[in-house]
Amino acid sequence: MGRSESRITERLSRLQTTNVLSETEFDQRLAHKLPPRAKGELVWLHAGTQAALRPAMELYARLAEDRPDTASLITLGADVTPPTGPLPDGCTITAAPEEGAGIIRRFMTHWDPDCLIWIGGKFRPALIQAAQERGVECLSIDAVKSTPTLEIHQHIPGLRGAVLFCFDHVITANAAATLAWRRAGVDPDQIEALGLLEEGGIAPSYDEAELTRRVAEIGTRSVWFAAHVDTAEMGEVIRAHKRALRRAHRLLLILSLSDSATETQVIAQLEKAGLTVCLLTTEKAISEVAQVIIVPHSSGGIWYRTAPVSFLGQSLTQLGGIDPYGAAAMGSAILHGPYVSHFKAAYDTLSTGKAARKVRDGYALGEEVERLLSPDQAALMAQAAWDVASSGAEVTDHVADLVQDFLDLRERISA
């Protein structure tokens, strides 16, 4: 072990001893005990800031639509905390390695990435230079609340320009932001001022034929969707539905549960409340007399598309909420409870855009559902939700196309 790595190890050991650093992060930052690398292509994305993390995950999800066999590694900057909730299939998240030569060599040898997408401008000089020297195509993208700085404490004249010059392609927030890259010597033809890579909606997949069938079965009935509801908030959802039924007696509640193992318990609870409930399967038609249908956890795409208004669950109790962008991308007006800490920035953005509304309990939820049964009210919120979800789509789609080109070229060269 070199002197530099010994000092890094000592520093991280002190952080681990004081519980600032977990054992897993200690190993990741030293490139020890790394998760296994998936076979085939590996896209490496680095989230330099917290605001860059979710756009990085969404960019990979977009890439995976066209290249389902491509895996991804997302590394996190020093101040970035790992995401909560499930990761996209094929995605691994670790802390970025420290800036020691031996550590970076272990990291690169293990992961052997096919390209690097650096999102958010806290740059790691040794890590980026190692990628470039290895022949990895490097792309930098501006993200929200991010400036092109170096994630090192000392000032070394000329280092920032040398690091910027390592990138093969650059996407900046605006024309003014291209100046630093031009000064660093990056080819102007490889610099594009397209805007920020932001959170946005990757629309959930669904079967078009099933959607058509379900819409026909529902007919002219009014409908709303309560997604990923936890048992602790079922009482409030029932209260909301019974209140809304007073205005629209044929109103249908489509309900998905956060845990399918609770279906029997929830059905009993609904029936005790005097509601007619049906457990929907692929083969089963929606009953005309059902007031509530329970649908599979994974079928949200169809119901976000069918229902003009959706309540996003795990938000009336302190569970942190669910990702709202799936509903927004499908053009559904969004209602949610006050506890959405896991996706606070997303809900704040949607709320500012008048695409989402917060309710405190089942009574308020029922009032909002009643109000949004008016088609013009729901349509205004739904359009706003779609506008917010699609605002960053241009940059995401363009980056996905660029990466496709990188990978196709690399594939042809290695063939």
Side-chain angles (χ1 to χ4, degrees):
M1 185 187 297
R3 185 178 179 187
S4 174
E5 185 170 339
S6 296
R7 288 180 174 175
I8 291 170
T9 303
E10 289 173 4
R11 174 171 56 81
L12 296 183
S13 294
R14 289 194 296 271
L15 293 174
Q16 187 182 13
T17 301
T18 56
N19 295 320
V20 174
L21 209 62
S22 69
E23 182 178 351
T24 298
E25 189 176 356
F26 175 83
D27 288 333
Q28 290 174 352
R29 287 170 68 167
L30 291 174
H32 288 310
K33 302 179 184 177
L34 294 172
R37 185 201 190 279
K39 293 180 180 179
E41 292 176 337
L42 180 78
V43 176
W44 170 22
L45 304 100
H46 179 81
T49 64
Q50 195 69 48
L53 177 54
R54 289 201 58 78
M57 293 170 63
E58 289 174 3
L59 174 57
Y60 168 64
R62 171 67 180 80
L63 280 166
E65 289 179 354
D66 296 322
R67 300 179 89 97
D69 295 331
T70 298
S72 79
L73 168 71
I74 299 179
T75 52
L76 308 179
D79 301 323
V80 181
T81 56
T84 55
L87 301 178
D89 290 342
C91 178
T92 300
I93 293 187
T94 78
E98 292 288 314
E99 288 281 273
I103 298 170
I104 290 174
R105 189 162 49 250
R106 284 196 299 273
F107 174 89
M108 288 291 185
T109 301
H110 177 81
W111 291 112
D112 188 24
D114 290 282
C115 70
L116 166 61
I117 307 169
W118 199 277
I119 306 170
K122 283 195 171 182
F123 298 113
R124 299 280 300 277
L127 190 56
I128 293 167
Q129 288 175 336
Q132 191 237 12
E133 289 167 4
R134 196 179 177 92
V136 175
E137 197 84 16
C138 299
L139 167 66
S140 173
I141 315 171
D142 283 352
V144 177
K145 299 177 183 176
S146 178
T147 54
T149 59
L150 300 183
E151 199 173 290
I152 57 174
H153 300 298
Q154 68 270 41
H155 174 69
I156 302 175
L159 180 60
R160 180 168 174 266
V163 171
L164 299 186
F165 187 68
C166 289
F167 286 93
D168 302 286
H169 205 101
V170 178
I171 295 176
T172 66
N174 50 50
T178 66
L179 184 59
W181 297 93
R182 292 172 182 269
R183 285 175 175 167
V186 178
D187 184 345
D189 290 340
Q190 302 305 312
I191 305 171
E192 299 181 86
L194 293 181
L196 298 167
L197 188 71
E198 300 181 83
E199 286 187 77
I202 302 295
S205 60
Y206 62 92
D207 182 276
E208 191 72 47
E210 185 178 0
L211 172 65
T212 302
R213 176 163 63 94
R214 295 308 189 190
V215 169
E217 290 169 359
I218 292 169
T220 58
R221 297 180 69 180
S222 299
V223 59
W224 68 293
F225 180 33
H228 299 248
V229 174
D230 185 77
T231 52
E233 54 193 354
M234 266 310 304
E236 299 298 332
V237 171
I238 290 171
R239 184 181 178 191
H241 189 50
K242 293 188 77 170
R243 177 174 180 81
L245 277 168
R246 298 186 311 176
R247 173 174 173 181
H249 70 278
R250 297 179 67 240
L251 178 66
L252 176 64
L253 166 61
I254 301 166
L255 174 68
S256 76
L257 304 174
S258 61
D259 182 359
S260 59
T262 63
E263 282 175 355
T264 302
Q265 173 189 340
V266 169
I267 288 171
Q269 189 176 359
L270 288 162
E271 289 176 341
K272 185 177 181 180
L275 295 169
T276 305
V277 58
C278 170
L279 186 61
L280 197 67
T281 62
T282 304
E283 303 78 20
K284 197 169 188 176
I286 297 174
S287 168
E288 176 67 25
V289 299
Q291 295 169 302
V292 182
I293 59 170
I294 299 178
V295 300
H297 177 90
S298 60
S299 63
I302 285 179
W303 308 117
Y304 287 138
R305 181 71 181 272
T306 303
V309 56
S310 296
F311 165 71
L312 305 188
Q314 299 179 53
S315 62
L316 286 173
T317 55
Q318 296 188 20
L319 293 171
I322 65 171
D323 187 344
Y325 277 122
M330 300 301 279
S332 187
I334 294 170
L335 302 175
H336 63 89
Y339 303 108
V340 291
S341 57
H342 291 171
F343 301 93
K344 184 178 184 303
Y347 281 96
D348 286 348
T349 299
L350 288 162
S351 178
T352 300
K354 302 187 186 307
R357 287 196 180 136
K358 179 169 66 176
V359 296
R360 67 186 181 277
D361 54 25
Y363 180 85
L365 176 59
E367 281 193 324
E368 286 295 338
V369 170
E370 274 191 78
R371 189 179 63 79
L372 291 170
L373 290 177
S374 170
D376 59 329
Q377 292 294 316
L380 285 172
M381 280 186 71
Q383 180 62 47
W386 191 88
D387 288 344
V388 171
S390 61
S391 63
E394 181 182 350
V395 176
T396 300
D397 288 346
H398 184 69
V399 173
D401 290 341
L402 276 176
V403 175
Q404 292 260 36
D405 292 342
F406 294 162
L407 296 176
D408 288 343
L409 178 61
R410 193 176 180 91
E411 198 173 75
R412 288 196 297 270
I413 291 172
S414 61

